[in-house]
Each structure stands twice: as structure tokens, then as C-alpha cells.
Amino acid sequence: LILGFGDRILEVIRELIEANDSEPDAAIVILAEDDKENMDNYIRDNILDFRTTRVITRSGVVTNINNLKKVMAENAKSIIVINSAASWQPEQEKTLADALVLKSIMSIIAVCEGKEHPPIVCEIHSDRDRDLAQNISNGTVKALNEVSVLSRMIAQLALSRNGLSVVYGDMVGFDGNEFYFYKPKEGWSHNLTFQESINRFNRSTPMGIHTAEGQIILNPPKDMLINPNDELIVFAEDDSTIMYFDKPIFSPTVNSIPKTDLDIRTQRVALLNWTPKTKIIVEKLCSYLTKNSEIQVFASSLSNEMKNTKRALADSYPDIKITFQNIDFNALKDLESIDPQNFDSILILSPGGTTIEEMDAYVISLLIRIRQILLAKIDKESKNYKWPKLITEVMDSENIDIILNSGVEDFMVSNQFVSQIMAQVSEEPLALDVYDDLFHAEGSEIYIKPASNYFDFSETDSISIQYGDCMQAGQLRNEIILGLQLYKEQKNRESMFGIRLIPNKSEVFTISSKDGFVALAQDEG
């Protein structure tokens, strides 16, 4: 059951259709205040193949108990409550929209008349209201904060090798790999450690432990014992591909890794546009960057919030230079004055707008102007030719091809990403706890690291190695390898930009120092 109708709806429906592919007769029921005929036409015009899923729309007030009874809310497998206000809208509108989400949850509880309500996933802007929603009942309520999740993700893109967005995009979508909470029917082997569990699966990879007490531990200590009632958090293509073996199915031969010097080079990062996400992105970047790094924020006007942010961060991170500058993004001279060629990364953030198409058009036009300046300023014949990493936020997945042809090296499809997480959490509520852990400042996060961290290329250009040995090299660094990035395919969208996730452990790859590994690790080093 989906309560509400808006920009998220198409992406959510697409994900649920994918998730229901193995169901013979699945149904998505939408209750919203929009006209039923308009909703039906909009969905039919934009989604051509519904596979085994029926989509049923009903017009009505989502907080009305009688309307919820008519759509049999109490019998839903799960309920998604869509927030009517976008993150870029005024605080007053977001506060009212959050209140309506809370009222919807209370109405669902009332409809269930004291019985346990179906799992609810919602989007709430306010930290206070989000905590309130998650503790409002004895049942499961998971509340997502779009700005927090996307901001942390975008900050990671700025400092990682290209391709990280592809990994996360694959992870959150049902048409790819996901994580599952798994425990074999016959139970775990006696005294099984987490490290030993890795070679008890073939085309799936344990990422962490969900303890019997409810704790999520990603990339746990190698010698941590898996207790009888614990579940493993397993990254797999589908739950049907998860097979646990009592004995190891792969015996690694790698027993050492090269010594690596941690690259502590300083970085210069530019952020274009002040949005609700910018503050969190800058805070996150400060927590990652080394001393003497620089962050420059360019905005069409300076506000008190920016001044307060700069003051607070200057106190917390005195060794990082943070500046805010007022420029006219429509004036080419102003854009030239920022010297984009001198930055390591440039993040172009999507401002508010009337429609998603307008917002993407603004970002694309700004991106084209930046690219024009770079082409004019950089001498391509120079040995020191360096193009900054361009990262942009896209609202509509239909615009990805345009973005890629504009020189962007990494992108985040904001609307799609949040919609996919909501759909995934509606299928598995604990998934949000895993994302909270992944995007948290402490603990392990996903990186793409150079192959030279794991294998010695000082006397050879390439080596042939089984994927299971790549995973073992990761274990020697206290990391979990989730896949590879093949350099020669990095520009190929059809090949997922070179990303290969959880291949068979016995598959052989020819690896060079230009290739990378997708690693769940404590830090970037």
C-alpha cells in the first residue's frame, strides 16, 4: 500500500514490480488525494510493462480512517508513506508535510485496532519527528531522511575513485545485487568465525552480522563467532542464489599483501549551489579530508546559515580551509573566475525548482558551461593535463545519458536512489539499519581501492588471479571485497562502467595496477 502520489511514485512502482517478479499475482494499491483517472493515465503513460503486478489507484484522504479501511490497510504486506514536501521546499511546508506523515501513521495504527500493524516506511525531514515516528508504536516504522542519506553519499563520491555510485545504484535496486538477512535452516557450523563464513558461500558474500540482540555489525572482526541465532548480512544477486556449505568451497593461496604508503595528499573540492544537502556534504568532507585541504562553496547569494556553518566548521576543523563565495552562475566570467581546472573535484548540486525536469535542465546547463571553461583553459598537449572529477546530482534517471556525455565521471540519481531505498525497506525493514550504518561517519564504508593495495605489480604489469584470492587479500587488510572495477571498461555504461560485483570465487581475472577493488573497509587507506 502506498499513501500519497508525487515525484517518487514511478520509481517506487518500478522497483516493486521488479521485486514482485517471482510472485504470480502481486498488487500495489495507491491511495492519494489526486484524481483517480489522472493517476491511472500518468502511471500507464510512463510504465509499459507491469509483469505480474496489478496497480490499483484510489482517490481519498490518506489520513482518513474510513479511506484506509476501504483499501484494507491492515492487510497490506507493507505500507509506504510518501512525504508531500520535497527537501528544497520552505521549512513551513516540510513541517506540515511531516505532521501529515505522522498523522497517517497514527491512522494506520487506529485502523489495526490494537493489532500489530504492517511494517511502515516513510520519509520525514525533521530529526525530531523522525525519532517520534520510529517510536510511535510497538510495530515496525522506518523513517528515512533523504537529505542525510544523499549528502553522505555525494561526499563519498567526491573522494572515491569513479564508479562508487554504480555500486550503490546496484545495491539499492532490485534489478541487481542486494543484501539479505540469512540463517541456514540446519544452523551454523560449530564455532564458525566470520572470516571462515566467507568461504562457505560461492556467488554471495557475507558483509556483516545481525546479532540475535538486534545489533547490525558490518565488517566485524575476523575472529568474531557467529552465534546459533545470529543472521549473516549477505550480499547476493537474489535470495535463491544464497547457498551455505558446511565446509569451505574455496581454499585461498594468498598469504601476504604488499606494504602500502597511505596517500595523504591534500585536496581541493568545489561545491556549486547551496541546497539543504550542502551543509551536510561539507561537514562530511571535513571529516574525511587531510590537513591543509580546501573546500570552496559557491552560491548565488550568501545567507546567515552559510556564515554560521563556516564559523562552526572553522572551529572544529582549523586545518581545513573553508570559504564561501557569492557568484552569478549565469555569468561565464564569474564561472571562469573560480578556476575549475585547479580543483580535484567539483560537485554540482541540484537546487530547488518547480519540476524535476527544470532542476535537471539547470544542472545540465551549468555542467555544460563548466565543461566549456575546462576545455578552453586546459592544454591537452601538456604532460600535466588534469581534468577535475566532475560529480553531479541528477533527479530523473532518464537524463543520465545526457549527463554522461557532458564529461561527468560520477553522478547520483537522487530521486531514483531514495525511491529504491524506500521500496527495498518496504520489503525488508532492517535494510534501512544497514544503510544507516554504511552512511554513518564511524564504522565501515564502501570504497573503490587500487589493486596495488592488494597485489604487488612492481615486477609485472598484470597478474591472473582467482576472485576468491582477491577476497582473501582483502581479509588480510581487514576488509571485505565485494567486487572488482576493470579499468578498460570504466567508460562503458553497458558493462556497468567496469564494475563486477560478487563473481564466482573460482573465476579468474587478469588484474593490472589500474584496476580496482570494491571494498567494505574502515577507511580509505
Side-chain angles (χ1 to χ4, degrees), residues 1 3 78-83 101 105 108 117-124 140-144 418 421-427 429 432:
L1 173 64
L3 303 182
S78 61
I79 301 173
I80 296 173
V81 185
I82 293 179
N83 196 300
V101 171
I105 296 170
I108 294 165
H117 61 77
I120 300 169
V121 55
C122 59
E123 183 185 346
I124 294 182
T140 301
V141 179
K142 296 293 182 183
L144 178 73
V418 175
I421 289 181
M422 291 185 79
Q424 198 178 73
V425 174
S426 75
E427 293 286 309
L432 189 58

Side-chain angles (χ1 to χ4, degrees), residues 459-486:
E459 297 180 4
T460 181
D461 291 331
S462 63
I463 58 170
S464 291
I465 192 90
Q466 288 183 295
Y467 177 68
D469 278 323
C470 299
M471 294 194 69
Q472 175 64 15
Q475 280 291 287
L476 294 173
R477 288 174 50 88
N478 298 313
E479 300 172 0
I480 299 168
I481 301 300
L482 301 175
L484 310 92
Q485 183 186 47
L486 304 175

Side-chain angles (χ1 to χ4, degrees), residues 210-215 227 229-230:
H210 176 225
T211 68
E213 295 74 35
Q215 188 180 8
N227 294 319
N229 293 321
D230 290 346

Side-chain angles (χ1 to χ4, degrees), residues 216-490:
I216 300 280
I217 307 172
L218 295 180
N219 190 19
K222 292 186 286 189
D223 58 356
M224 184 172 178
L225 288 174
I226 302 171
N227 294 319
N229 293 321
D230 290 346
E231 293 178 310
L232 281 182
I233 303 166
V234 179
F235 192 46
E237 185 178 355
D238 188 73
D239 55 358
S240 63
T241 66
I242 302 175
M243 285 180 281
Y244 171 75
F245 297 88
D246 275 332
K247 294 185 178 178
I249 49 90
F250 184 85
S251 298
T253 58
V254 172
N255 51 31
S256 65
I257 52 174
K259 289 184 178 179
T260 55
D261 294 324
L262 185 61
D263 182 8
I264 55 170
R265 70 184 178 90
T266 59
Q267 294 199 52
R268 297 186 77 232
V269 182
L271 290 90
L272 308 189
N273 286 316
W274 181 265
T275 77
K277 299 184 186 73
T278 311
K279 179 181 177 182
I280 300 176
I281 293 172
V282 174
E283 289 172 351
K284 184 80 171 175
L285 286 171
C286 285
S287 70
Y288 281 137
L289 290 171
T290 58
K291 290 181 179 180
N292 302 318
S293 290
E294 186 177 348
I295 300 172
Q296 290 194 30
V297 180
F298 299 93
S300 54
S301 62
L302 299 181
S303 65
N304 287 331
E305 184 186 18
M306 296 183 207
K307 293 173 185 175
N308 294 335
T309 299
K310 180 182 176 181
R311 194 178 303 117
L313 291 174
D315 291 341
S316 302
Y317 301 96
D319 296 319
I320 294 176
K321 184 181 178 183
I322 305 167
T323 59
F324 288 76
Q325 189 174 328
N326 182 1
I327 71 165
D328 180 358
F329 289 114
N330 294 313
L332 206 57
K333 283 188 177 180
D334 275 20
L335 284 176
E336 286 175 347
S337 70
I338 74 175
D339 292 328
Q341 73 279 6
N342 292 329
F343 288 95
D344 296 288
S345 301
I346 299 175
L347 285 73
I348 302 175
L349 303 175
S350 182
T354 308
T355 65
I356 280 179
E357 193 55 44
E358 276 184 18
M359 293 161 68
D360 277 359
Y362 174 89
V363 166
I364 290 167
S365 64
L366 181 53
L367 178 61
I368 290 169
R369 288 196 289 276
I370 293 290
R371 189 168 183 263
Q372 180 183 344
I373 294 166
L374 287 170
L375 288 170
K377 287 200 173 191
I378 294 176
D379 178 13
K380 289 190 174 182
E381 302 303 318
S382 168
K383 290 182 180 179
N384 297 322
Y385 167 65
K386 176 177 165 288
W387 186 287
K389 183 176 182 182
L390 294 176
I391 302 154
T392 189
E393 183 183 7
V394 193
M395 300 304 292
D396 187 351
S397 57
E398 298 294 322
N399 292 320
I400 291 175
D401 284 331
I402 302 173
I403 292 287
L404 288 173
N405 288 327
S406 302
V408 163
E409 296 180 45
D410 236 334
F411 56 87
M412 169 52 55
V413 189
S414 299
N415 199 39
Q416 182 184 49
F417 192 76
V418 175
S419 302
Q420 287 175 326
I421 289 181
M422 291 185 79
Q424 198 178 73
V425 174
S426 75
E427 293 286 309
E428 174 49 79
L430 282 171
L432 189 58
D433 298 330
V434 177
Y435 286 122
D436 282 343
D437 201 295
L438 273 178
F439 295 127
H440 204 264
E442 292 79 31
S444 291
E445 295 170 299
I446 295 176
Y447 300 91
I448 300 179
K449 301 192 177 188
S452 54
N453 281 15
Y454 307 87
F455 299 103
D456 187 359
F457 295 96
S458 59
E459 297 180 4
T460 181
D461 291 331
S462 63
I463 58 170
S464 291
I465 192 90
Q466 288 183 295
Y467 177 68
D469 278 323
C470 299
M471 294 194 69
Q472 175 64 15
Q475 280 291 287
L476 294 173
R477 288 174 50 88
N478 298 313
E479 300 172 0
I480 299 168
I481 301 300
L482 301 175
L484 310 92
Q485 183 186 47
L486 304 175
Y487 177 78
K488 63 182 180 182
E489 297 176 3
Q490 232 178 318

Side-chain angles (χ1 to χ4, degrees), residues 5 32 34-43 57-58:
F5 200 86
D34 299 59
D35 178 75
K36 173 178 168 53
E37 187 176 351
N38 290 342
M39 289 191 284
D40 288 340
N41 289 339
Y42 181 70
I43 293 167
T57 62
R58 292 287 181 265

